């Protein structure tokens, strides 16, 4: 029987109380179990941390990891970044022969593919951080008065814009050929959901979201 230890993480205490983020992760895990898991299966434990992805202390993750090592179950997460944002941390997990990982949004990915994805995601975060800083410096050079709340608000808005641009890259690798072949927006959205390419908010694709990404790419 296939066995899983489920691990979920949200980044703030507010998200933990309201269920924001947790609900989406549970939905993706449920989709994986229903459509991609071997049967029968057993959930031997479920653990949830409420803290920053950069935090070094993750008590519930440590408990989940100990149970994985003890039982031989696979650790199941909704997204790879729920394990952490540092590729070195994820690489260490993959090198542990007592630990097997499964990512709901990438149901067919093996350890090598997950390692590559983690490395690329880290590079993208570094690039977005650099572009955000450069955009703020450029705004100041143009004479835009920044400071206090306005400074933080502008930084947040720039980061949101960069995250939206980031989404267009991997998505267009699927959207471009399908659109050129005459596929509908809905058919493309379904294909993106099947392949595990997440939206910028980690949700599922709709025809409207596909259309927005196409518009962003065209404005590129």
């Amino acid at each position: 029987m296939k066995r899983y230890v489920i691990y979920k993480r949200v980044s703030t205490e507010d998200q933990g109380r309201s269920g924001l983020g947790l609900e989406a992760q549970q939905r993706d895990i449920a989709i994986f179990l229903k459509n991609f898991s071997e049967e029968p299966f057993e959930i031997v434990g479920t653990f949830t941390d409420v803290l920053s992805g950069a935090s070094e202390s993750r008590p519930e993750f440590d408990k989940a990891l100990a149970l994985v090592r003890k039982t031989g179950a696979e650790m199941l997460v909704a997204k790879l970044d729920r394990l952490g944002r540092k590729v070195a941390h994820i690489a260490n997990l993959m090198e542990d022969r007592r630990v097997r990982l499964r990512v709901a949004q990438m149901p067919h990915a093996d350890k090598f593919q997950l390692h590559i994805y983690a490395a690329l995601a880290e590079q993208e975060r570094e690039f977005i951080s650099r572009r955000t800083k450069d955009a703020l410096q450029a705004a100041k050079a143009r004479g835009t008065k920044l400071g206090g709340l306005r400074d933080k608000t502008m930084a947040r808005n720039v980061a949101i814009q960069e995250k939206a641009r980031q989404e267009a890259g991997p998505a267009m690798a699927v959207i471009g050929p399908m659109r050129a072949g005459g596929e509908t927006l809905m058919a493309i959205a379904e294909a993106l959901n099947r392949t595990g390419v997440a939206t910028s908010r980690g949700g599922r694709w709709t025809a409207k979201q596909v259309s927005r990404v196409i518009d962003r790419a065209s404005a590129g």
Side-chain angles (χ1 to χ4, degrees):
M1 176 184 293
K2 177 67 70 174
R3 294 184 294 176
Y4 298 104
V5 171
I6 294 173
Y7 175 69
K8 294 174 285 185
R9 176 178 62 77
V10 287
S11 58
T12 67
E13 187 175 353
D14 288 338
Q15 283 183 311
R17 285 197 299 262
S18 68
L20 296 174
L22 288 177
E23 182 178 346
Q25 289 176 58
Q26 186 56 49
R27 177 206 61 209
D28 288 349
I29 288 170
I31 290 172
F32 170 84
L33 292 173
K34 179 180 178 181
N35 297 280
F36 299 100
S37 175
E38 297 176 18
E39 294 186 348
F41 64 81
E42 177 187 6
I43 306 300
V44 298
T46 300
F47 301 85
T48 302
D49 274 318
V50 182
L51 36 75
S52 168
S55 175
E56 295 296 331
S57 175
R58 295 187 291 170
E60 293 303 303
F61 175 79
D62 292 339
K63 293 176 185 177
L65 191 58
L67 187 57
V68 165
R69 289 169 172 160
K70 178 180 179 180
T71 63
E74 292 186 358
M75 181 177 289
L76 174 60
V77 295
K79 297 175 63 178
L80 188 59
D81 66 4
R82 297 304 85 189
L83 294 172
R85 293 183 176 272
K86 294 293 185 181
V87 66
H89 172 73
I90 295 174
N92 286 336
L93 286 176
M94 293 178 181
E95 290 175 0
D96 189 333
R97 294 189 176 184
R98 296 174 296 167
V99 176
R100 290 184 294 169
L101 304 175
R102 183 71 66 174
V103 179
Q105 289 192 1
M106 295 183 285
H108 303 302
D110 58 25
K111 279 191 173 184
F112 176 76
Q113 291 169 324
L114 292 177
H115 193 168
I116 294 298
Y117 184 87
L120 293 174
E122 184 173 281
Q123 288 183 32
E124 287 175 341
R125 285 192 296 272
E126 291 174 357
F127 185 78
I128 288 173
S129 176
R130 182 66 262 172
R131 287 189 65 174
T132 299
K133 293 175 182 178
D134 288 351
L136 289 171
Q137 291 174 357
K140 291 178 180 179
R142 291 194 300 269
T144 303
K145 187 176 181 179
L146 303 175
L149 182 61
R150 286 189 64 189
D151 199 359
K152 294 179 181 179
T153 299
M154 183 172 182
R156 183 171 63 250
N157 290 340
V158 171
I160 290 172
Q161 292 171 1
E162 292 302 328
K163 188 175 184 181
R165 293 190 186 98
Q166 176 191 5
E167 174 190 297
M172 282 304 296
V174 176
I175 295 172
M178 291 189 70
R179 194 60 173 164
E183 293 288 352
T184 66
L185 295 176
M186 181 57 70
I188 296 172
E190 292 173 352
L192 287 166
N193 289 327
R194 286 196 303 271
T195 55
V197 177
T199 67
S200 59
R201 295 179 181 272
R204 292 180 64 77
W205 288 89
T206 65
K208 187 173 183 179
Q209 287 171 314
V210 172
S211 179
R212 287 174 179 170
V213 170
I214 292 173
D215 291 341
R216 290 192 201 111
S218 298

